């Protein structure tokens, strides 16, 4: 006998009321869970009972996102804290740990880039990325930076000032490259610098992106003076050059402030009702050292509440040394005292949160707000274009609503070998890289010399919607699908579409999944059951949106296919060596990084690899040197 599924609380008024009575009116954190015990949302409050009850009063006052969440809440857990600041700190830790789907206020639309330092690696890498990964907790992301050009030039200058690893992979196996000879790289590839010494250099680089350039300059000046006193003039000259480079880094970034010794963050927003563009200026010792940008959902949220949440999420991810002594805000924060106490506790000294009304600090907020207005206007321009395209596509396909989430699928192979597929996702007309997926085709009949795009697409769509199909067969409906697409697009013509339609029909999902195909030759759109394409113009906005989606799916599939083909070709030669199994091949490639390096290695160098003894090393050497 199967257990009766737990109803959402909103559909079980008696259980909801009993649960609300159990929640005390004290500070703490609440966790909303669905019927599968997954955490949907984590929040904090001065008075738990009042806050939680507010979700179930009037859906008209909730945003669409939170209203969808409330429809799924089957249980509420709470944790009582002694103070409101403790509730904020606990919420920050829990959100970081569980990353609930409905806690995302800041839009991860890859609009602004981050700088990443991979502290989890022995020799940390420094690079720019638009994707903030929830990988190692040790890795550190700075940003997101509004001015991508300035960020790139800063990283370029930093790599000129400090000797850092310049290449992701070594150029030569047994010697460093030219970067080492000219002093740009300390010879990481050949182990010419100790890992601890290299990390000390990277720590100096991190100080630049923490806004601690003045502090770093003081340290370098002391080191330069000490080197000169020891008559080490070559080292003193190197330090002098670094000091001059750092001084030029923020030249012209001076901000007029009454006290240029104070560190400040100034935050303001511009909203169009649905979204808000937030700008955060980081001012350290009178210098504008960082200009960060965020995009948040606005809906019914008050401006102060948006700024509060952005500041909480931002400071949750920074080191305590990066928290300024003063935070200037455009609007009053609803819980400024809680945020101030929490930040003061993290920093170890008083952090003030002010809403300036006049004089210099108010002028700084006004400057930040103007920049937010500019970013909003720029974002609105792209948003209007995408909205027009979605509206045109909805009319073209006779969709009941705008296709906010569109998924595109493509297959890539060379005559059947290394066949792979891609799924790309556009949300509100923009690529949502975090939802992209890659698939290796499992069909044993698809192999070198024999391809079958129809069967491959049917396999991938079957894997994508398998869980939904099982759920519908068991319960007769589909629930808890926040990633459900409004439209699915297949790269191909009638044949590819027919294969996908057949697998959706077998899963009883043909009425639930709206699918079309886009043929390359004439950019024609085909629908299930129709022999002729939809009358359309290849240049109209809706078709252009599908073309962008198709091109992105193709790019993503081809990139994955090339990776798989390269990996297979590397392994194919190693497969010919007797006694060299899959695991030992992995060890070799991990140690030497490429087949070319393996082919020129000596038996002694090969024997250094774990699992490769002198006898096997000699066999490998003789294979490449017959």
């Amino acid at each position: 006998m199967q257990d009766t599924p737990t109803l959402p609380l909103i559909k079980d008024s008696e259980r909801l009321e009993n649960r609300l009575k159990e929640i005390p009116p004290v500070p703490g954190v609440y966790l909303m869970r669905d019927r599968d015990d997954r955490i949907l949302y984590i929040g904090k409050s001065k008075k738990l009972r009042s806050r939680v009850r507010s979700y179930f009063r009037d859906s008209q006052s909730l945003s669409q996102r939170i209203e969808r969440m409330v429809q799924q809440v089957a249980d509420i857990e709470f944790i009582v804290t002694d103070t409101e600041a403790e509730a904020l700190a606990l919420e920050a830790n829990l959100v970081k740990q569980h990353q609930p789907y409905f806690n995302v206020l800041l839009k991860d639309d890859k609009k602004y880039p981050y700088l990443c330092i991979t502290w989890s690696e022995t020799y940390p890498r420094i690079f720019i990325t638009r994707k903030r990964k929830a990988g190692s907790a040790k890795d550190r992301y700075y940003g997101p930076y509004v001015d991508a050009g300035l960020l790139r030039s800063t990283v370029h200058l930093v790599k000129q000032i400090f000797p850092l690893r310049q290449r992701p992979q070594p150029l030569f196996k047994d010697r460093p490259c030219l970067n080492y000879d000219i002093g740009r790289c300390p010879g990481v590839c050949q182990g010419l610098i100790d890992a601890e010494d290299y990390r000390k250099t990277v720590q100096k680089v991190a100080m630049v992106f923490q806004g601690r350039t003045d502090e770093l300059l003081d340290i370098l000046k002391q080191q330069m003076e000490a080197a000169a006193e020891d008559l080490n003039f070559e080292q003193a000259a190197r330090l002098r050059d670094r000091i001059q480079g750092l001084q030029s880094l923020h030249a012209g970034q001076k901000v007029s402030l009454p006290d240029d010794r104070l560190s400040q963050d100034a935050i303001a927003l511009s909203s169009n009702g649905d979204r808000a563009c937030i700008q955060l200026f980081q001012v350290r010792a009178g210098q504008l050292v960082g200009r960060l940008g965020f995009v948040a959902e606005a809906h019914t949220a008050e401006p102060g509440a948006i700024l509060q949440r952005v500041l909480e999420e931002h400071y949750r991810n920074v080191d305590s040394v990066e928290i300024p002594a003063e935070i200037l805000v455009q609007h009053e924060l609803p819980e400024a005292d809680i945020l101030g106490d929490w930040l003061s506790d993290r920093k170890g000294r008083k952090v003030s949160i002010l809403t300036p009304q006049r004089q210099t600090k108010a002028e700084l907020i006004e400057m930040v707000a103007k920049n937010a207005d500019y970013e909003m206007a720029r974002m609105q321009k792209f948003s209007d274009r995408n909205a027009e395209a979605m509206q045109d596509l909805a009319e073209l396909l006779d969709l009941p609503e705008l296709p906010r989430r569109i998924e595109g699928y493509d297959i890539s192979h060379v005559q059947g070998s290394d066949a792979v597929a891609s799924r790309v996702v556009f949300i509100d007309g923009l690529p949502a890289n975090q939802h992209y997926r890659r698939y290796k085709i499992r069909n044993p009949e698809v192999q070198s010399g024999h391809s079958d795009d129809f069967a491959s697409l049917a396999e991938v769509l079957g894997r994508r919607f398998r869980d939904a199909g099982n759920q519908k067969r068991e319960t007769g409906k589909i629930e808890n699908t926040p990633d459900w697409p409004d439209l699915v697009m297949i790269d191909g013509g009638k044949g590819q579409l027919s294969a996908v339609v057949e697998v959706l029909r077998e899963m009883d999902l043909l009425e639930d999944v709206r699918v079309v195909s886009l043929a390359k030759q004439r950019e024609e759109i085909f629908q299930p059951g129709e022999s002729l394409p939809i009358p359309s113009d290849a240049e109209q906005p809706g078709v252009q949106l599908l073309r962008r989606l198709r091109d992105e799916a193709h790019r993503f599939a081809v990139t994955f296919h090339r990776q798989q083909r390269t990996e297979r070709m590397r392994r194919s030669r190693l497969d010919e060596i007797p006694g060299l199994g899959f695991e030992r091949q992995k060890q070799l490639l991990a140690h030497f990084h490429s087949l070319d390096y393996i082919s020129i290695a000596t038996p002694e160098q090969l024997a250094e690899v774990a699992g490769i003894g002198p006898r096997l090393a000699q066999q490998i050497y003789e294979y490449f040197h017959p």
Side-chain angles (χ1 to χ4, degrees):
M1 180 177 176
Q2 291 185 341
D3 294 335
T4 304
T6 304
L7 286 173
L9 287 174
I10 201 165
K11 296 181 180 179
D12 191 342
S13 57
E14 183 178 352
R15 192 163 62 89
L16 170 62
E17 192 57 38
N18 290 335
R19 191 63 178 134
L20 291 175
K21 288 178 181 177
E22 294 172 356
I23 301 175
V26 295
V29 172
Y30 56 93
L31 298 86
M32 305 287 202
R33 295 181 179 271
D34 67 8
R35 66 178 185 177
D36 297 320
D37 206 36
R38 291 176 299 195
I39 299 176
L40 298 171
Y41 185 79
I42 298 174
K44 67 174 185 314
S45 179
K46 297 178 182 179
K47 294 182 179 180
L48 282 171
R49 182 185 295 167
S50 301
R51 173 61 61 83
V52 174
R53 186 180 289 276
S54 68
Y55 287 98
F56 300 92
R57 280 182 183 148
D58 186 1
S59 61
Q60 298 300 319
S61 62
L62 301 175
S63 69
Q64 292 180 353
R65 178 176 63 92
I66 296 300
E67 188 176 347
R68 286 204 318 272
M69 183 269 294
V70 171
Q71 298 292 328
Q72 300 177 39
V73 175
D75 196 11
I76 305 166
E77 181 183 341
F78 62 89
I79 303 171
V80 172
T81 59
D82 291 332
T83 65
E84 297 152 2
E86 285 181 10
L88 176 55
L90 178 60
E91 181 204 29
N93 290 333
L94 290 174
V95 168
K96 192 171 185 179
Q97 178 184 349
H98 298 287
Q99 298 183 344
Y101 177 82
F102 287 99
N103 268 88
V104 180
L105 171 82
L106 302 186
K107 289 284 187 182
D108 186 19
D109 63 356
K110 313 301 179 292
K111 184 177 175 63
Y112 305 118
Y114 293 86
L115 178 97
C116 179
I117 300 181
T118 57
W119 291 109
S120 60
E121 299 178 4
T122 306
Y123 290 92
R125 291 176 296 128
I126 299 170
F127 60 91
I128 296 172
T129 178
R130 290 183 184 269
K131 189 171 184 179
R132 182 171 187 151
K133 298 179 181 177
S136 173
K138 294 181 180 179
D139 294 344
R140 178 73 177 86
Y141 289 86
Y142 299 91
Y145 291 96
V146 173
D147 194 333
L150 179 60
L151 175 61
R152 283 192 291 270
S153 64
T154 301
V155 172
H156 178 71
L157 184 55
V158 160
K159 287 186 175 182
Q160 290 181 322
I161 297 170
F162 296 98
L164 297 167
R165 180 170 68 175
Q166 302 289 328
R167 294 177 176 274
Q169 299 294 341
L171 189 61
F172 307 107
K173 181 186 174 298
D174 54 352
R175 61 187 173 89
C177 65
L178 182 63
N179 285 310
Y180 175 77
D181 298 324
I182 63 176
R184 291 281 179 86
C185 174
V188 172
C189 63
Q190 303 302 317
L192 300 179
I193 182 173
D194 179 75
E196 189 58 35
D197 290 337
Y198 186 78
R199 293 175 80 87
K200 288 178 181 177
T201 301
V202 179
Q203 285 168 357
K204 292 184 174 68
V205 174
M207 292 177 72
V208 174
F209 294 96
Q210 291 170 341
R212 301 163 63 197
T213 307
D214 285 350
E215 187 181 337
L216 177 58
L217 284 170
D218 291 340
I219 293 172
L220 294 178
K221 286 174 183 175
Q222 292 172 12
Q223 292 177 349
M224 181 182 67
E225 292 167 2
E229 289 178 5
D230 294 339
L231 305 182
N232 189 349
F233 299 116
E234 188 177 342
Q235 173 68 4
R238 281 198 294 266
L239 290 167
R240 178 204 60 204
D241 293 341
R242 290 178 191 174
I243 290 168
Q244 291 175 349
L246 286 169
Q247 287 173 335
S248 67
L249 193 60
H250 295 298
Q253 291 287 84
K254 188 77 174 174
V255 178
S256 177
L257 291 172
D259 185 357
D260 62 6
R261 296 168 299 174
L262 195 65
S263 65
Q264 293 175 317
D265 280 355
I267 188 169
L269 63 78
S270 178
S271 175
N272 64 0
D274 292 323
R275 281 187 174 184
C277 270
I278 300 99
Q279 296 276 290
L280 190 149
F281 279 29
Q282 299 169 308
V283 180
R284 305 292 182 265
Q287 300 281 349
L288 178 62
V289 301
R291 177 183 164 211
L292 310 185
F294 308 89
V295 180
E297 291 184 351
H299 299 302
T300 58
E302 293 294 327
I306 296 174
L307 294 181
Q308 170 101 21
R309 178 56 73 177
V310 171
L311 289 173
E312 289 173 2
E313 294 199 22
H314 170 64
Y315 291 122
R316 181 185 299 152
N317 296 306
V318 306
D319 296 329
S320 58
V321 73
E322 298 172 57
I323 300 172
E326 193 171 83
I327 301 170
L328 308 180
V329 296
Q330 180 189 27
H331 301 279
E332 291 278 357
L333 306 185
E335 297 174 337
D337 51 343
I338 301 178
L339 181 60
D341 290 344
W342 177 55
L343 292 176
S344 299
D345 184 61
R346 282 197 63 201
K347 189 173 179 64
R349 54 173 291 190
K350 175 69 174 176
V351 175
S352 302
I353 300 177
L354 308 174
T355 310
Q357 302 296 328
R358 53 188 177 181
Q359 297 182 341
T360 310
K361 292 180 180 178
E363 292 172 0
L364 176 58
I365 283 290
E366 185 178 350
M367 180 178 70
V368 179
K370 284 181 180 177
N371 281 272
D373 289 338
Y374 172 76
E375 284 298 309
M376 172 55 72
R378 192 168 66 162
M379 187 180 74
Q380 189 66 50
K381 179 181 178 182
F382 288 108
S383 179
D384 290 344
R385 186 191 72 175
N386 290 328
E388 180 188 2
M390 288 191 295
Q391 182 65 47
D392 182 60
L393 188 58
E395 293 174 0
L396 193 63
L397 302 179
D398 195 24
L399 300 175
E401 296 178 346
L402 292 183
R404 295 196 173 277
R405 180 185 172 108
I406 312 176
E407 295 182 0
Y409 293 84
D410 192 17
I411 304 294
S412 183
H413 57 83
V414 174
Q415 295 181 341
S417 69
D418 306 299
V420 298
S422 68
R423 179 187 90 188
V424 301
V425 179
F426 278 20
I427 295 179
D428 290 339
L430 295 171
N433 307 59
Q434 69 271 30
H435 298 298
Y436 284 19
R437 293 293 180 270
R438 292 165 167 173
Y439 301 88
K440 293 181 182 178
I441 300 303
R442 299 171 180 169
N443 188 340
E445 294 183 3
V446 177
Q447 53 187 299
S448 182
H450 183 269
S451 62
D452 191 336
D453 288 1
F454 299 168
S456 297
L457 281 168
E459 174 191 325
V460 171
L461 270 293
R463 287 159 62 181
R464 163 65 175 97
F465 293 105
R466 181 191 298 121
D467 291 342
N470 292 338
Q471 187 184 88
K472 188 169 184 182
R473 276 193 293 268
E474 292 172 4
T475 66
K477 56 185 177 180
I478 304 170
E479 294 182 338
N480 297 333
T481 52
D483 61 346
W484 195 258
D486 299 305
L487 180 66
V488 169
M489 186 218 68
I490 304 300
D491 182 10
K494 290 185 288 185
Q496 285 87 344
L497 180 62
S498 297
V500 169
V501 166
E502 185 59 33
V503 76
L504 290 175
R505 183 179 288 114
E506 290 174 3
M507 294 189 291
D508 195 24
L509 293 177
L510 190 54
E511 294 182 359
D512 303 284
V513 180
R514 185 64 189 271
V515 59
V516 298
S517 68
L518 182 66
K520 284 189 179 73
Q521 191 171 8
R522 298 179 181 175
E523 309 295 6
E524 295 175 324
I525 303 172
F526 290 92
Q527 295 189 97
E530 300 291 337
S531 58
L532 297 176
I534 296 174
S536 62
D537 181 350
E539 299 305 317
Q540 70 182 91
V543 180
Q544 286 186 336
L545 176 58
L546 288 184
R547 288 167 61 185
R548 290 199 300 272
L549 182 75
R550 189 266 316 282
D551 293 345
E552 178 69 351
H554 180 71
R555 179 200 66 80
F556 197 52
V558 168
T559 302
F560 186 41
H561 165 71
R562 286 172 178 165
Q563 291 175 359
Q564 295 299 304
R565 186 178 61 188
T566 301
E567 184 72 14
R568 177 180 57 79
M569 292 175 69
R570 286 201 306 176
R571 293 195 184 283
S572 62
R573 291 196 66 190
L574 296 178
D575 283 336
E576 298 173 5
I577 302 175
L580 192 62
F582 180 74
E583 289 301 322
R584 285 173 173 171
Q585 290 179 27
K586 282 175 61 178
Q587 295 280 3
L588 274 174
L589 289 168
H591 183 84
F592 289 101
H593 301 297
S594 83
L595 191 65
D596 291 336
Y597 288 160
I598 296 173
S599 68
I600 63 174
T602 65
E604 292 75 21
Q605 292 170 328
L606 291 166
E608 293 175 1
V609 179
I612 307 292
R615 184 177 176 181
L616 182 55
Q618 187 64 35
Q619 283 183 256
I620 297 170
Y621 179 80
E622 289 175 356
Y623 172 80
F624 288 107
H625 303 84

